[in-house]
Structure formats: structure tokens, C-alpha cells
Amino acid sequence: MTDRHRLTSVDTVEEDGAWLFTVRDAHDINQEVMLVPCEDSSQKVNAYINTCTHEQQPLYRDEVGVVMRDGGVVCPKHGSVFDSCSGECDNGPATGTTLSEIAIDVDDGQVYLTDDSVDFLWGGGDTDDDDDGSPSSTSHLRF
């Protein structure tokens, strides 16, 4: 679906701790993707769908970005930690699961989206135009 698309620089991901962008998948669904630093990789960054495997919670949140601990991405809801280099989780409710990876390439310090299963839409998160700022609810009532 996509050609190689420049996203940002490795330096930006390392300095900011993460970088968020939005793609559209083959089912016409928008997905947020986060770039996170990975010291053990030759690319120095990896890209994962911005969703905890346990309860579909976003790992990157606008208010704080990504919480990192000992080379891992921490789920802000339950505390599971995903290795930033492999996406694997070995603790908490998400134990035994792996984050969904999106293919990227790093060339001369620049990060490129190379995953053929998605199309780049924009830098930043997916916004809901119907969001009026009120808390979400599972009922028909809005507060």
C-alpha cells in the first residue's frame, strides 16, 4: 500500500522518548503507530501499533507520551512492560503477548515507513471529529 515515506529522525525519537503517527490499514481502519527507542537494534528505533495487547489501551498518550522503564514500554493501565526491541511482554496481565510491529527502515539517521500493509496518513494521533471533550461512556448517556 505504501512507498517508503520519511517519518522523522532517530534523534527526535531518542530525544522525545517516542514519536506517534497515524496510518490506514488494508481494512480502511486508522491505526496509531508509535516509534520507540531501542538501543539493542541496529536501527535504534522500532514501530508498534499503539495498543496494549491486554485490553486495547493506548500505550502512547498525548499527555505524557510513552512511559519507558528499563528499555520497555509500560502500559499505563495495568503496568505490563513490553520490550521496546522485540515487543514481547513477560510480566503483568499481558504476559506472553507481543505488540504488533510495523515495518520501518532507518537510513542515514532518518526513519522511513516501509510497511506495505499500511498507508501513512499524518504525524500525530488519530483524532475523533465527533469528540466533544466529554468522557466516553458505554451507555447512551454523555456527561
Side-chain angles (χ1 to χ4, degrees):
M1 289 178 75
T2 189
D3 292 321
R4 186 169 127 138
H5 181 91
R6 184 190 176 278
L7 299 169
T8 189
S9 69
V10 171
D11 288 343
T12 297
V13 176
E14 290 176 340
E15 289 168 12
D16 295 349
W19 196 80
L20 190 69
F21 63 100
T22 302
V23 297
R24 179 165 293 132
D25 69 16
H27 304 287
D28 285 332
I29 297 172
N30 291 2
Q31 295 279 329
E32 290 183 347
V33 179
M34 58 182 181
L35 294 173
V36 293
C38 169
E39 292 182 18
D40 296 338
S41 166
S42 61
Q43 295 191 137
K44 299 294 184 194
V45 296
N46 280 345
Y48 301 105
I49 298 291
N50 182 30
T51 305
C52 177
T53 57
H54 174 237
E55 282 191 3
Q56 308 305 305
Q57 296 294 311
L59 299 168
Y60 182 106
R61 301 203 176 187
D62 288 335
E63 311 84 44
V64 295
V66 171
V67 175
M68 300 285 290
R69 182 174 56 222
D70 298 327
V73 176
V74 180
C75 174
K77 184 163 185 180
H78 294 107
S80 293
V81 180
F82 297 88
D83 184 275
S84 67
C85 296
S86 68
E88 297 174 355
C89 180
D90 65 1
N91 72 339
T95 298
T97 65
T98 302
L99 295 174
S100 296
E101 191 167 3
I102 296 294
I104 58 168
D105 188 25
V106 174
D107 185 14
D108 198 27
Q110 302 303 305
V111 182
Y112 296 89
L113 175 64
T114 58
D115 198 310
D116 289 337
S117 68
V118 298
D119 286 322
F120 177 82
L121 294 178
W122 56 77
D126 188 24
T127 58
D128 180 3
D129 293 336
D130 296 330
D131 186 8
D132 63 3
S134 62
S136 63
S137 173
T138 56
S139 75
H140 66 282
L141 300 175
R142 298 283 295 187
F143 295 98

